[in-house]
Amino acid sequence: MNDILNTAAEYAWALPCFNMFAFVSWIILGRYIHKNTIFISLGSIGISLIWFVAIIVDFVSGNMATVVVDFDWIHIGDWVITWGFSVDRISVVMMGLITFVSLVVQAYSIEYMSKDPGISWYFSLQSFFVAAMLLLVLADNLLLLYFAWELVGLGSYLLIGFWYERASAAEAAKKAFITTRIGDVGLLIGILLLFKSTGTFHIASIIHAANNGGIGEGTIILSSLLLFLGAMGKSAQFPLNEWLLEAMTGPTAVSALIHAATMVKAGVFLVARIGPLVFALGAAGILADQFFEIIAWTGAITALLLATQGMVNPEIKKVLAYSTGSQIGYMMMALGVAGLSHQYVDGYTAGFFHLISHAMFKASLFMAAGSLLHIVGSRFMTDMGGLRKHMKKTYAFMWAAGLGLMGAPFITTGFWSKDAIFAAVYESGNEWALPLFLIAILTAVITAFYTTRMLGMVFFGKKSKHIEKMEEEGHHIHEASASMWIPYGILAVLTIGIGIIGLSAEEGIHHLFTEYLEHSFGIHSAHVTAEASILPEFLQGLNPVALGASLVAFATGIGLGYIFYIGRWVDPVKFVNSNIVFYSIHKLFLNRWYLNAMVYWCFVTTPLWLARGVSRYFEKTAIDYGMNDGVQKAVSWSAKVIQGTQTGVSQSYLFVFGAGLLFVVLILLI
């Protein structure tokens, strides 16, 4: 056993192999194994989780030193391209998140997908996707990272479009695939620029070359921005965010895995990989502020923009989708602010801590929403209502996970991670600190509001006409089966459990990444002497302003949500229709700020209009009439003219020759 533990980190590449085995098994033996694919898939992710635990033991026993394993792939003379795998602190965190959440989601999927004829194909795709994600976070060179990046995109395309016979699912899959490809093109160009400058794809070698002046300043900044463009596409950041909403047409378990815990976090992971490199170069005199400002403002705009849309949408999964994009905006804002601060580790830790906490409570909320859809048979919250008496476990777990999303003080992971983001923004000392801080607070208020709204519409008030009709037809509302509520119950409990020790967890992650940034990038964090604080002893070390803002944001958001949707003191419909301003704002949010219409006009309507114009005026006029018919007619006319000159009289020929010669002479003289 000790030998296994001592070599576990060196064989971390086996994790994606375990899951790829499940996918390949179905491809080769699908017709024979059928539903046994479920057990093969669950077994592969279970083995991956066990192997991850062994990696953790090995990693910690080795003083958390980075373990790198390279395999030669291509030899061209003296030039070698390698497939490299790196086990460091950031990849270990991501591996644990992917394997654990994936196992929980797959366990949930057994019952959720039990009646679907394509269940074996579904589980094989899940395994394929998990394998691609694990490969992505383990890659230590940009070529392998890009390869895994595209496999993740392919897996998400197939999972989103799993119910491809539905036109909406097929269109959503295509939209997601095409939109993310825009970012992927930028990612590829950025990788090729770095390769052109350094002659290698190896991340450590690129960092070494950059620190020694081997890469020009312009190349570093441009390539970093192009890499960030890839992150924007994968993580659904403005303006490449419109695909995320449409992706909700896939199975809810897919949303829990892809759009809460894994794929949309790939962009955050990429920024976390390249961000320290750009920041470290600041010591060499390279101006990197613009890069981090773009990241911070992209995250801030996305967070606020999508939060406002979540306030008004009637579909529960779409509300959670908007919330996902908004919370990832928080993570991006934290990573951007990190680069604008002297204490890079503060924003870095905050962004990653929120990534971890968000994965737990959002995956729980998505799976709970899937149970509601499974029982009620509708995706609209207006078709629910009064369900707390019939689905008590789901009610309790959704409240626990929802409190995490709202950032309930002191008892949820979401509170500590958001507070860390607020503190990182407020203490950055950058010129953009105040506006970014205000946006973060406003977004937190809106988040608490729409989460309370969702819980109020689903579980409080009277039964909807839809439910009453179901009961009249003999379909009684009941709790989801244990195989469904236990998985999201586990994540909801962890949201509260880790939240109770959240301050210690944050300090642990902070210490973990402080050492990682120092050893890997030479980014040293200055020791700050703790000043006397007005806060009680157990809250010492927190920023009072950030803490106060967190408390006010939570209280304001949940208070407004209670007034409208739980206490029902004010009818929200009457309130919206009572004033032209409120009505206009509601319509603006409901129509997604008309961004989708603008994107459609820019990238669909306008290109089609131009294409029709080219077809009508260029192809038909210039090509068909001008070149095809015109050339034919011109040749025919020329033939007739030339034929008319063929008189057979020598004097005529001499006359034409003389006239031509005279013309040439006159031209030369002039």
Side-chain angles (χ1 to χ4, degrees):
M1 182 66 179
N2 289 333
D3 292 337
I4 295 175
L5 294 177
N6 291 335
T7 58
E10 296 180 5
Y11 289 93
W13 51 266
L15 266 73
C17 294
F18 293 144
N19 295 279
M20 189 59 72
F21 170 78
F23 175 73
V24 173
S25 298
W26 188 91
I27 294 296
I28 299 174
L29 304 170
R31 66 171 62 184
Y32 304 107
I33 60 177
H34 193 44
K35 288 192 175 183
N36 288 327
T37 305
I38 299 173
F39 305 106
I40 296 173
S41 181
L42 280 170
S44 64
I45 191 63
I47 294 172
S48 297
L49 184 59
I50 295 171
W51 196 262
F52 166 73
V53 174
I55 291 173
I56 285 289
V57 175
D58 188 13
F59 191 63
V60 173
S61 64
N63 296 316
M64 291 184 283
T66 300
V67 178
V68 178
V69 179
D70 290 327
F71 302 94
D72 291 346
W73 182 39
I74 296 176
H75 288 263
I76 304 176
D78 297 331
W79 185 49
V80 181
I81 296 179
T82 61
W83 293 102
F85 300 88
S86 176
V87 179
D88 58 10
R89 303 185 188 206
I90 185 174
S91 63
V92 164
V93 172
M94 293 299 296
M95 278 191 290
L97 190 66
I98 293 167
T99 52
F100 177 68
V101 175
S102 298
L103 180 61
V104 172
V105 171
Q106 288 205 8
Y108 169 87
S109 299
I110 295 175
E111 175 66 23
Y112 186 81
M113 299 295 293
S114 60
K115 297 180 181 179
D116 196 292
I119 186 172
S120 59
W121 172 235
Y122 167 83
F123 272 89
S124 66
L125 284 179
Q126 286 260 19
S127 297
F128 174 84
F129 178 83
V130 172
M133 275 299 306
L134 289 170
L135 186 64
L136 191 154
V137 300
L138 284 168
D140 83 329
N141 70 80
L142 293 175
L143 184 63
L144 180 59
L145 185 146
Y146 183 76
F147 177 74
W149 191 271
E150 292 302 315
L151 289 181
V152 169
L154 175 61
S156 68
Y157 167 76
L158 294 172
L159 284 168
I160 293 170
F162 179 76
W163 290 319
Y164 60 87
E165 65 276 3
R166 304 177 185 177
S168 58
E171 291 297 322
K174 288 190 290 184
K175 188 172 186 177
F177 191 80
I178 293 170
T179 304
T180 54
R181 290 293 76 71
I182 297 173
D184 293 355
V185 170
L187 176 64
L188 179 59
I189 295 172
I191 291 173
L192 293 177
L193 282 175
L194 291 173
F195 176 75
K196 183 177 182 295
S197 299
T198 62
T200 181
F201 294 104
H202 193 253
I203 297 175
S205 299
I206 293 172
I207 294 172
H208 179 75
N211 287 327
N212 290 277
I215 311 176
E217 177 181 338
T219 301
I220 291 175
I221 299 300
L222 178 59
S223 59
S224 298
L225 288 174
L226 288 168
L227 293 178
F228 178 60
L229 182 60
M232 289 170 60
K234 272 290 190 288
S235 292
Q237 297 296 282
F238 178 83
L240 302 179
N241 59 281
E242 286 298 317
W243 69 267
L244 184 61
L245 181 70
E246 311 299 335
M248 295 302 106
T249 55
T252 302
V254 170
S255 302
L257 179 63
I258 294 180
H259 308 126
T262 53
M263 185 185 103
V264 292
K265 305 294 173 55
V268 180
F269 169 80
L270 181 61
V271 174
R273 272 285 190 224
I274 64 174
L277 164 63
V278 183
F279 182 81
L281 295 175
I286 294 176
L287 299 176
D289 284 0
Q290 292 82 357
F291 172 71
F292 290 108
E293 286 173 359
I294 291 172
I295 294 176
W297 276 107
T298 298
I301 293 170
T302 305
L304 181 59
L305 189 70
L306 297 189
T308 57
Q309 297 174 53
M311 293 173 62
V312 297
N313 200 282
E315 298 183 40
I316 187 168
K317 285 181 64 177
K318 289 187 177 182
V319 171
L320 294 175
Y322 285 127
S323 175
T324 295
S326 178
Q327 297 302 302
I328 292 174
Y330 263 130
M331 302 170 205
M332 289 294 188
M333 180 168 53
L335 293 175
V337 166
L340 302 174
S341 171
H342 296 295
Q343 291 281 35
Y344 184 83
V345 68
D346 291 345
Y348 196 87
T349 299
F352 236 90
F353 188 22
H354 198 55
L355 182 151
I356 297 168
S357 62
H358 177 264
M360 289 188 294
F361 60 68
K362 186 54 63 68
S364 178
L365 285 170
F366 264 116
M367 287 188 285
S371 293
L372 292 171
L373 269 65
H374 195 73
I375 300 299
V376 178
S378 175
R379 64 184 186 272
F380 293 97
M381 294 184 289
T382 49
D383 288 335
M384 303 177 189
L387 295 180
R388 68 185 188 277
K389 298 178 181 179
H390 304 278
M391 303 180 70
K392 295 180 180 180
K393 295 183 180 67
T394 300
Y395 170 67
F397 293 138
M398 282 197 74
W399 260 113
L403 287 172
L405 177 57
M406 289 187 277
F410 311 122
I411 61 169
T412 62
T413 57
F415 169 77
W416 299 109
S417 58
K418 283 186 181 180
D419 182 79
I421 293 174
F422 294 165
V425 174
Y426 184 77
E427 296 173 354
S428 65
N430 186 267
E431 61 180 327
W432 299 114
L434 182 58
L436 288 171
F437 184 71
L438 293 176
I439 291 175
I441 299 303
L442 178 58
T443 303
V445 173
I446 297 173
T447 301
F449 173 80
Y450 68 64
T451 306
T452 309
R453 169 181 177 265
M454 176 184 67
L455 294 169
M457 292 181 70
V458 171
F459 295 107
F460 292 86
K462 299 179 181 179
K463 294 180 181 179
S464 67
K465 293 181 179 179
H466 174 77
I467 292 179
E468 290 178 349
K469 185 179 180 181
M470 287 182 64
E471 291 179 338
E472 289 174 0
E473 295 174 352
H475 302 287
H476 296 289
I477 305 300
H478 56 85
E479 183 61 81
S481 63
S483 60
M484 292 181 71
W485 65 257
I486 288 177
Y488 57 79
I490 291 173
L491 295 176
V493 170
L494 285 174
T495 299
I496 302 298
I498 299 177
I500 294 173
I501 59 167
L503 187 56
S504 300
E506 182 189 346
E507 291 174 350
I509 296 173
H510 192 280
H511 178 71
L512 184 75
F513 286 128
T514 297
E515 293 186 344
Y516 167 73
L517 293 171
E518 288 180 353
H519 296 159
S520 301
F521 302 96
I523 299 175
H524 302 283
S525 301
H527 178 71
V528 180
T529 304
E531 300 179 357
S533 175
I534 61 173
L535 298 176
E537 186 176 350
F538 78 98
L539 295 176
Q540 290 296 316
L542 297 181
N543 184 290
V545 176
L547 178 60
S550 297
L551 297 176
V552 171
F554 172 76
T556 304
I558 196 172
L560 290 172
Y562 184 90
I563 290 172
F564 285 102
Y565 295 100
I566 296 181
R568 310 289 172 117
W569 299 347
V570 180
D571 188 324
V573 177
K574 292 181 179 179
F575 179 80
V576 168
N577 294 327
S578 66
N579 188 291
I580 186 63
V581 176
F582 297 151
Y583 177 81
S584 300
I585 294 173
H586 181 272
K587 188 176 181 180
L588 177 66
F589 293 168
L590 192 61
N591 286 282
R592 300 153 67 174
W593 292 77
Y594 298 99
L595 291 174
N596 192 53
M598 286 187 282
V599 169
Y600 193 85
W601 186 87
C602 291
F603 296 104
V604 178
T605 304
T606 302
L608 286 175
W609 179 78
L610 292 173
R612 293 190 187 101
V614 169
S615 174
R616 179 178 299 176
Y617 298 107
F618 182 74
E619 288 189 15
K620 292 183 179 180
T621 304
I623 303 297
D624 293 342
Y625 181 77
M627 294 186 65
N628 295 338
D629 294 342
V631 171
Q632 184 265 329
K633 291 178 179 178
V635 170
S636 178
W637 179 82
S638 301
K640 291 179 180 179
V641 171
I642 294 173
Q643 184 180 7
T645 61
Q646 304 303 307
T647 62
V649 180
S650 57
Q651 292 89 339
S652 300
Y653 298 153
L654 289 171
F655 175 79
V656 173
F657 177 77
L661 183 62
L662 179 62
F663 178 75
V664 172
V665 171
L666 289 173
I667 293 294
L668 292 174
L669 290 174
I670 295 172

